[in-house]
Amino acid sequence: MDITEYFKLVFSDYTLRTITLGTAILGAVTGMLGSFAVLRKQSLLGDAISHAALPGIAIAFLITGAKDTNTLLIGALVSGLIGTFWIRGIITKTHLKSDTALGLILSLFFGFGMLLLTFIQKQPNANQAGLDKYLFGQAATLVESDVWLMAIVTGVCLLVLLLFWKEFKILLFDADYTKTLGFNTKFIDVLITSFIVLAIVLGLQTVGVVLMSAMLLAPAAAARQWTNSLSTMVFLAAVFGAFSGVFGTAISASQNNLSTGPVIVLVAAVFVVFSFIFSPSRGLLFKQIRFIKNRRDLELHKTLSFMYHIAETHENTSHPHAIKLLNNFQGFTKKTLQKLVEKNYATIDGSKWSLTDLGFKTAKNLYNKQETKNE
Amino acid sequence: MNSAQIEIQLIASLVAIACAIPGTFLVLRKMAMISDAISHSILPGIVVGFFITQDLNSPLLILLAAFTGIITVVLVEYIQKTGLVKEDTAIGLVFPALFSIGVILIAKNANDVHLDVDAVLLGELAFAPFDRLFIEGTDVGPKSLWIIGSILLITITLLLAFFKELKLSTFDKGLAASLGFSPVIIHYGLMSVASVTTVGAFDAVGAILVVALMIAPAATAYLLTTDLKKMLSLAIGFGVLSAISGYWFAHWLDASIAGSITTMLGFIFLIVFLFAPSKGIIAVMYREKQQRTEVSLLTFLLHLKNHTEERERHVNHLQEHINWQKVRAKTVLDLAQKNNMITMNKNIVSLTNKGDTFTSKAIDYIITNEDAQIEDMKEDFFLFRG
């Protein structure tokens, strides 16, 4: 199946439609909430939470003995929340730093989860197969009810975001100020963290424990490059996330042996790389171009001021001098000279140059006034 | 105990030691999450290495995979330097991408590669003794024992040789640089050791659980001591202890050894986290409660010092004036009386001489922030212990 065939099938084929919708919604909601995680400098929290959810899945299965998605997800949610609050406890109550706390909880919970999973596998219960799909996720196992669940959670999430927009925003950028204004910062904090945990848990089935953090980060990191406004960033992140989901599903469906999770992550990574390079205000490409342009301007000014110092010594400031004189000077290139002529700062006559009145005046004021600012 | 069991425990212990040493420095340098990133992103290195060597235990593969680990670190630092995103976001972006590449490489070549992602992530220690190394036909022990043994040997040699430099650059980068030890070289040296250890250990305990073995013992030890040498030996001790107890726990439960070792690590951490003498959660909470009472005591004494009128110093008035609950007011009063700072006369509270000097001293300390004022009070009061 190739890509065009896929797009034809999306609208007719039940499985493909479900998966595509599911990954798109998932990408949108994780992108939205991921923006907050990235801006709060909690990027790796997502990684820790998704790993910490694993024992919850196993315990939920051990208790109920059934493989009902919703029960397992509730288990994951609970253990994800426990992990999150333990991380907080470690950071606030001891001198261990946040990176240690994150790594600790992540690996310990994951290890414990693996212990439980292997323990379950040895149990005489035919029902256990497939629990390990939560490790890497299997978008193919998505059914319509899962997509509905995602849609509902996304709806609730949007509602809460809109309701508490002002609070989230102010907490994000100035926590102390928020406190002095009398907002219950703890409540807002717990609210946003809980939603991040919820979004991660939702994604476990699709992209799995290991790659979930990228779903949270990548769209947000890409969106961050295009804007300085929070609302635009959240919107862009949701769009990027949704497109990663759709494209990722399309690519993995059109090839054999490609699991959806990693492909979605790679598509999101492509978005990030593209944004890093081509974003107009922050991107590396335009930054480099601006850098080169500034350097050229500087060189132009250097040449001009050098010419000025030569011209200064003559009574007639437009007295012609040989171009050769400029040769030992670093800022000089044929281009800069050409540009000076274009700007009417200097005139060239054969192998001689001379400053015009305008050029002389500009050069004189070069380091006094900001006249040349707009060039 | 048969020989396979002994060998498994030996391998597990060696892995624990080999991980604890770089782990301690990673925790101290606030780079613990880098080990997580490395452990994931070595996957593509392992897969490519496997295509070339067709042998999971070949040294070339270990070097190739360790090289991917270093590339991760370089990439993270490059992205961070551009200033486009923060460091943690950079880490979170790089390793899932590399890991995804690894997963896709494996999936695409599933027929030629006897390698599955679960094995890389989780390892299977129980099979380690069956892959044996033969030198000229004689059986000299399991391959992974030799691999992790040599890695440990290199790590220990490097640790002994560069202990001073490592210590200095960990705690005072600026001083290290000004004394002529390049922090960059030491940084990348440490990263290389961490990468090589991660790769060497992955097929025994799995890539993610390497992270646990690196961070957990070091973090546990850090809660108990602030001395680098003690921290190193404690971390090694905790690592080995959980490796061996974890093995027997897994044996009893018939489950994954790696998972069980991690569970043991978590268990030890939990205990230390709760009960560590001065940094454990219980000690911290006790101290905070005590400090709260002492702050109240100070407020109370100040109030007494400022008011000579009897009305202001009546017990009942104090309760409503400073707005304390009954229990709290009683605790503070008791504490003050026990220390002979106040006397009570017909429910009128007044400062004793001792209380008066104490209050003046405490005020002096608060204003000047000079320790000399309160040297002799540190013994009795948590508040002044810094």
Side-chain angles (χ1 to χ4, degrees), chain A residues 72 138 172 183 198 265 272 325 335 337:
Chain A
L72 296 186
Q138 250 174 345
L172 202 56
F183 286 111
L198 190 63
V265 169
V272 173
L325 270 179
K335 247 183 171 169
L337 206 57

Side-chain angles (χ1 to χ4, degrees), chain B residues 23 59 90-91 115 157 184 243 249 280 317-318 320 335 338 374 381:
Chain B
I91 295 178
L115 188 70
T157 320
V184 179
F249 185 54
H317 174 77
L318 285 176
E320 58 197 66
L335 183 69
K338 230 195 280 167
I374 45 135
F381 292 95

Side-chain angles (χ1 to χ4, degrees), chain B residues 360-375:
Chain B
S360 326
K361 270 188 186 174
I363 286 298
D364 268 0
Y365 171 66
I366 292 168
I367 294 170
T368 60
N369 211 9
E370 275 165 18
D371 279 348
Q373 303 284 350
I374 45 135
E375 249 348 292

Side-chain angles (χ1 to χ4, degrees), chain B residues 211-257:
Chain B
V211 181
L213 277 172
M214 283 204 178
I215 302 175
T220 315
Y222 199 17
L223 286 178
L224 291 171
T225 177
T226 45
D227 178 299
L228 180 59
K229 276 181 192 156
K230 270 188 206 149
M231 184 174 162
L232 267 173
S233 41
L234 268 176
I236 291 172
F238 285 135
V240 174
L241 178 68
S242 27
I244 292 172
S245 60
Y247 171 75
W248 288 106
F249 185 54
H251 187 72
W252 171 71
L253 208 61
D254 191 17
S256 146
I257 299 175

